[in-house]
Amino acid sequence: MALLSIRNVFKSYFLHGKRIDVLRGVSLDIEKGEMVSMIGASGAGKSTFLHVLGTLDMPAAGELFFEDRNVFAMNDAEIADFRNRTIGFVFQSHYLLPEFTALENVAMPALVQRRERAPSYAYARELLERVGLGARVDHRPGELSGGEAQRVALARALVLKPPVLLADEPTGNLDPVTGEGIHQLLREVNRDLGITCVVVTHNATLAESMPRRLRLNAGQVTEA
Ligand SMILES: Nc1ncnc2c1ncn2[C@@H]1O[C@H](COP(=O)(O)OP(=O)(O)OP(=O)(O)O)[C@@H](O)[C@H]1O
Ligand SMILES: [Mg+2]
């Protein structure tokens, strides 16, 4: 059984009386432990796809199965709980909270879940060390470089130990060296923590280095 199974997903946006059909019948299986890249032109619908896969957005039609669970058939509270337990998200913009330190930002999802404070902070610190920011834990986002902020966002996405990590252009605005560092981290996350990863990227070298490559084009997802 696939870990994630998307079946015939449709998603459109309606704006100013116009309809944009972004996902037009997407079906896809992702196995446990896979490391998958997704490429596609700007505006092709990669973020839309990732948001639907991560249950941040509902499709107009179609199904999502996590193992044998029919995710879109759940009620809102069940979906939110599923998302908290299952999905780590690195957004195209990092969305760190500006008034909190790096350490507090990383620990935040665990604290919101009312996990114990001391172990949550300890694990947040460990993750920050893992992404090379052990010396930056007390910096606020405005006191970090773009690449550092993106690494904090990656650590935050991992703090609840999700089985699935969805990363939307985690290296979008970074120089090649910093970008390669993030890619290396993603590979470690996949290999060492066994986390199933889907990474949207415009970086052709990164995309090609992944064991499985997907392309989003004309509302369809195909193997690239
Ligand atoms: N809330 C919205 N309302 C209306 N149209 C939207 C909305 N969000 C996205 N779109 C449109 O849907 C299409 C797909 O957007 P999406 O953000 O998924 O593209 P993308 O592949 O992630 O692009 P990029 O590589 O630039 O991040 C685009 O044409 C965009 O303009
Ligand atoms: Mg996008």
Side-chain angles (χ1 to χ4, degrees):
M1 190 191 308
L3 184 68
L4 287 163
S5 199
I6 271 214
R7 286 285 166 270
N8 226 9
V9 160
F10 287 79
K11 173 84 188 169
S12 302
Y13 292 111
F14 299 88
L15 196 68
H16 309 310
K18 278 194 187 161
R19 176 171 140 191
I20 307 169
D21 296 317
V22 180
L23 304 178
R24 305 180 210 167
V26 172
S27 296
L28 181 72
D29 282 351
I30 296 171
E31 305 294 332
K32 188 168 169 25
E34 272 199 297
M35 178 81 180
V36 183
S37 67
M38 173 173 274
I39 55 167
S42 177
K46 303 178 300 296
S47 294
T48 303
F49 171 78
L50 224 54
H51 289 176
V52 170
L53 188 60
T55 73
L56 293 165
D57 210 354
M58 287 294 279
E63 292 174 309
L64 171 66
F65 290 90
F66 181 81
E67 294 170 330
D68 57 354
R69 295 161 70 193
N70 187 348
V71 177
F72 294 146
M74 299 174 185
N75 67 35
D76 287 354
E78 289 167 339
I79 290 183
D81 184 60
F82 165 82
R83 185 189 315 124
N84 285 332
R85 289 172 192 277
T86 315
I87 311 283
F89 220 108
V90 182
F91 293 94
Q92 203 163 356
S93 310
H94 57 68
Y95 293 123
L96 296 175
L97 300 169
E99 66 272 36
F100 292 97
T101 66
L103 184 67
E104 288 164 341
N105 266 283
V106 174
M108 196 64 71
L111 301 179
V112 167
Q113 293 267 301
R114 296 170 190 277
R115 307 260 173 111
E116 278 186 71
R117 294 180 74 84
S120 297
Y121 275 115
Y123 188 52
R125 192 178 289 274
E126 186 184 321
L127 285 169
L128 281 168
E129 277 162 15
R130 198 180 176 96
V131 300
L133 292 177
R136 296 287 183 277
V137 294
D138 294 325
H139 286 229
R140 293 192 170 81
E143 299 154 358
L144 295 167
S145 75
E148 289 171 344
Q150 204 50 287
R151 282 186 274 162
V152 175
L154 177 57
R156 178 184 56 183
L158 296 172
V159 77
L160 293 178
K161 303 183 181 167
V164 176
L165 180 74
L166 305 179
D168 195 354
E169 290 219 47
T171 61
N173 305 312
L174 305 180
D175 69 86
V177 173
T178 311
E180 180 46 40
I182 301 246
H183 301 162
Q184 191 54 43
L185 277 169
L186 289 169
R187 282 190 278 271
E188 284 172 25
V189 159
N190 174 250
R191 191 190 58 214
D192 301 346
L193 306 178
I195 296 179
T196 304
C197 297
V198 181
V199 182
V200 166
T201 182
H202 279 291
N203 181 323
T205 317
L206 168 68
E208 278 160 26
S209 76
M210 299 262 185
R212 184 177 179 195
R213 299 164 297 279
L214 300 174
R215 178 190 304 277
L216 182 44
N217 183 40
Q220 302 281 329
V221 174
T222 52
E223 306 286 331

